[in-house]
Amino acid sequence: MSTTLTGTAKYPDSLLIKVLALEKKGILRGVVVMESFSVQIKIIDPRRVINELISMSHK
């Protein structure tokens, strides 16, 4: 499954930090960070992880 998340308006972006940490651990794959404000993050991963990240992006 692929989805695009919108980061937070905060600096540093807690969603981006979480996504990059999960990618480094091998939990996420196919991470593409698009430079915009707020950052756009495209990921390919299991629904469980995507749902957790989506909930973070709405805070």
Side-chain angles (χ1 to χ4, degrees):
M1 170 164 205
S2 172
T3 193
T4 301
L5 304 169
T6 301
T8 65
K10 299 175 185 173
Y11 182 82
D13 188 325
S14 58
L15 180 64
L16 179 59
I17 291 168
K18 175 82 170 181
V19 167
L20 295 176
L22 291 172
E23 180 185 35
K24 187 174 182 177
K25 291 180 181 179
I27 297 170
L28 287 179
R29 62 185 178 87
V31 175
V32 177
V33 178
M34 296 165 267
E35 294 183 26
S36 61
F37 188 80
S38 300
V39 67
Q40 301 290 307
I41 308 163
K42 183 176 180 179
I43 60 174
I44 301 170
D45 207 2
R47 171 56 61 188
R48 177 187 60 80
V49 176
I50 289 174
N51 286 340
E52 179 184 337
L53 295 171
I54 288 171
S55 71
M56 282 184 70
S57 72
H58 295 304
K59 292 182 180 178

